[in-house]
Amino acid sequence: MTRVVYRVERSIVLVGMMGAGKTAVGRQMASRLGLPFVDSDGEIETSSGMTISEIFSRLGEPDFREMETATLSKFLSGDPLVMSVGGGAFIRKVNRRLIRQHGTSVWLKPSLETVWERVRNNRKRPLIQVEDPRAELSRLLRERNPVYAKADIRVHTSNDRTVSAMAKAVITMLVRMDGSGLSVVPAAESRQDSDHSGRDRTG
């Protein structure tokens, strides 16, 4: 079976609420596109030696947000990759500018019910360690969805769609979108050697 060859010119950044599936879908997309995958929260934990909850507790949310912006700047300024970012990252204007400059943003949009089902037993989410976490999730969704809507692409996600199906759907939408930086290399061209930039990928 002939593998599809993609030309990747811009990074792909998955944004949206906690529990939307950004990391799982991002890893699958990176595998299909032959790109590196970066989870911004994971990178912050590695570089700081603390969990996200510990950073919030010891340093506070403002310091975490600065770490988040520094992480985006570091990775998005390099070669194309697939990145998933924390739920609050896209809310900051400086982060949206960085993402817009270097990549294409994809909003994975779940329902409140989907998010709640996925995170209700997760004790590592500092923003919902409150008396009524479901109500807080609902409030965050109402507050953040208008900002997430500024993303280049919107894809609805639910527990009925597999990670593989989501990844395939996002890639298809990006290929069809003008200016996304992702395209399918024509069959004749794909038989030739990839250009020296190394940005033609098989998937």
Side-chain angles (χ1 to χ4, degrees):
M1 181 177 179
T2 302
R3 301 192 73 188
V4 177
V5 179
Y6 296 96
R7 177 168 293 121
V8 187
E9 298 175 334
R10 292 170 62 79
S11 289
I12 301 164
V13 183
L14 302 179
V15 308
M17 196 65 179
M18 66 180 83
K22 301 183 295 290
T23 298
V25 173
R27 289 187 188 280
Q28 180 70 224
M29 289 179 60
S31 177
R32 287 174 177 265
L33 297 172
L35 292 174
F37 172 75
V38 172
D39 173 73
S40 66
D41 282 354
E43 290 296 332
I44 291 169
E45 289 186 333
T46 299
S47 63
S48 68
M50 294 183 283
T51 66
I52 301 301
S53 294
E54 288 172 336
I55 295 171
F56 269 71
S57 176
R58 298 179 188 180
L59 305 179
E61 184 174 355
D63 277 11
F64 170 75
R65 297 303 174 193
E66 291 302 319
M67 293 180 185
E68 197 169 52
T69 298
T71 300
L72 266 63
S73 180
K74 173 184 175 181
F75 285 97
L76 292 179
S77 61
D79 292 335
L81 49 75
V82 178
M83 174 181 271
S84 67
V85 300
F90 201 65
I91 306 304
R92 295 190 78 192
K93 288 183 179 179
V94 62
N95 294 340
R96 294 201 299 275
R97 286 197 296 268
L98 279 169
I99 293 169
R100 188 176 301 113
Q101 179 181 357
H102 298 288
T104 302
S105 53
V106 179
W107 174 24
L108 298 188
K109 184 184 180 183
S111 66
L112 172 61
E113 290 70 25
T114 296
V115 174
W116 176 240
E117 183 64 27
R118 293 176 179 179
V119 306
R120 61 189 303 174
N121 296 316
N122 190 325
R123 303 304 179 198
K124 298 181 180 180
R125 306 283 188 174
L127 291 182
I128 58 170
Q129 301 311 306
V130 295
E131 184 176 349
D132 189 343
R134 193 179 191 282
E136 180 63 10
L137 275 176
S138 179
R139 185 193 69 78
L140 285 170
L141 281 170
R142 291 194 305 272
E143 178 183 279
R144 291 178 172 183
N145 278 355
V147 183
Y148 293 148
K150 298 177 185 289
D152 298 309
I153 288 179
R154 175 188 311 185
V155 183
H156 290 271
T157 179
S158 73
N159 291 330
D160 296 329
R161 301 185 74 180
T162 67
V163 170
S164 179
M166 284 294 301
K168 184 177 180 180
V170 174
I171 290 172
T172 298
M173 293 180 72
L174 287 168
V175 168
R176 292 174 178 172
M177 174 189 166
D178 290 338
S180 72
L182 181 63
S183 58
V184 175
V185 177
E189 185 178 342
S190 69
R191 288 193 291 268
Q192 301 172 2
D193 291 336
S194 296
D195 61 33
H196 296 297
S197 70
R199 293 185 295 184
D200 287 2
R201 314 282 183 166
T202 59

